[in-house]
């Protein structure tokens, strides 16, 4: 999972014409660590990097802009518009069903 670090990188990522899957997290969140393990497992299933990650603590302006209520959050965007926000990472199979349609 590749981390998006700077604000210009975040803008470029979210403005992409293709669907983007962004894992929004906090390094202090235990649930986020579990969610990361699930997404890492999914990347192994898809046999490639599917998700980008963004530390919510470093990008509060994007948290406000996309109205992200809590972490962990899987933010699905296309052309800068939110298609979906997933907050409940229930299981690997649940997350697979939620994201398989977005993975091209």
């Amino acid at each position: 999972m590749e981390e998006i670090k700077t604000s210009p990188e975040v803008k470029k990522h979210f403005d992409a014409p293709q669907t983007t899957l962004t894992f929004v997290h906090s390094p202090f969140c235990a649930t986020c660590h579990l969610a990361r393990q699930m997404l890492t497992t999914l990347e192994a299933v898809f046999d490639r990097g599917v998700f980008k990650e963004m530390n919510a603590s470093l990008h509060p302006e994007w948290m406000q802009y996309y109205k992200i209520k809590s972490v962990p959050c899987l933010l699905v965007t296309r052309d800068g518009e939110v298609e979906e926000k997933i907050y409940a990472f229930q299981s690997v199979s649940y997350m697979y069903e939620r994201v398989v349609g977005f993975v091209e």
Side-chain angles (χ1 to χ4, degrees):
M1 205 175 313
E2 184 182 339
E3 184 174 2
I4 307 167
K5 296 181 181 180
T6 67
S7 205
E9 286 176 344
V10 174
K11 180 167 179 28
K12 181 180 176 185
H13 169 69
F14 286 132
D15 286 344
Q18 72 275 10
T19 300
T20 60
L21 303 168
T22 309
F23 173 56
V24 183
H25 66 91
S26 169
F28 310 109
C29 166
T31 306
C32 295
H33 290 283
L34 294 172
R36 177 191 308 282
Q37 289 176 340
M38 289 183 197
L39 298 182
T40 301
T41 301
L42 287 178
E43 286 187 329
V45 168
F46 293 120
D47 197 29
R48 64 186 177 96
V50 174
F51 308 100
K52 301 281 187 170
E53 67 177 304
M54 182 176 79
N55 182 338
S57 304
L58 300 177
H59 302 286
E61 69 280 5
W62 292 104
M63 295 288 291
Q64 284 183 328
Y65 182 80
Y66 283 112
K67 298 181 174 92
I68 298 171
K69 297 176 185 173
S70 66
V71 292
C73 176
L74 184 64
L75 182 62
V76 182
T77 58
R78 182 180 195 92
D79 290 322
E81 298 295 321
V82 174
E83 290 189 8
E84 189 170 356
K85 294 177 198 168
I86 302 170
Y87 293 105
F89 291 58
Q90 298 174 11
S91 67
V92 173
S93 59
Y94 173 80
M95 290 304 293
Y96 176 84
E97 292 297 322
R98 296 295 302 267
V99 303
V100 70
F102 297 115
V103 177
E104 300 170 346

